[in-house]
């Protein structure tokens, strides 16, 4: 229960993620694909809409993914 709450806090709706590696999926999404978190369900599955059109629930610990942090290229002058 506490683990699920931590996952929900870490990956709120709208969080951008990058898939590193999928577990045993017959139609895996390629590593490096970016997606947006739709929601985290009550068992901790992170449901995402991926930029390639796929929708999938990721299981922390079985699937590997991380938050995508966009780097700013704006420099102060």
């Amino acid at each position: 229960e506490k683990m699920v709450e931590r996952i929900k806090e870490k990956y709120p709706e709208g969080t951008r993620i990058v898939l590193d590696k999928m577990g045993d999926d017959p139609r895996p999404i390629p590593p490096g694909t970016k997606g947006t978190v739709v929601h985290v369900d009550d068992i901790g599955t992170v449901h995402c809409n991926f930029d390639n059109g796929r929708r999938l629930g990721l299981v922390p610990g079985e699937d590997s993914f991380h938050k995508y942090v966009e780097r700013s290229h704006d420099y102060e002058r």
Side-chain angles (χ1 to χ4, degrees):
E1 206 172 281
K2 289 180 183 180
M3 185 179 77
V4 172
E5 288 306 313
R6 283 197 303 266
I7 294 168
K8 287 182 178 186
E9 287 174 12
K10 186 173 181 178
Y11 299 103
E13 180 180 340
T15 300
R16 295 285 288 159
I17 59 108
V18 179
L19 181 67
D20 298 318
K21 183 177 176 239
M22 291 193 66
D24 295 328
D25 191 290
R27 292 180 49 225
I29 293 174
T33 303
K34 295 180 186 80
T36 304
V37 174
V38 178
H39 77 282
V40 177
D41 65 22
D42 291 337
I43 61 169
T45 301
V46 181
H47 296 270
C48 300
N49 289 337
F50 284 91
D51 295 357
N52 66 359
R54 297 272 309 272
R55 295 179 181 184
L56 194 68
L58 300 174
V59 179
E62 186 167 321
D63 300 307
S64 176
F65 56 97
H66 64 273
K67 283 185 180 182
Y68 174 68
V69 179
E70 204 164 340
R71 303 280 185 233
S72 176
H73 296 290
D74 297 331
Y75 298 99
E76 288 186 27
R77 295 178 185 221

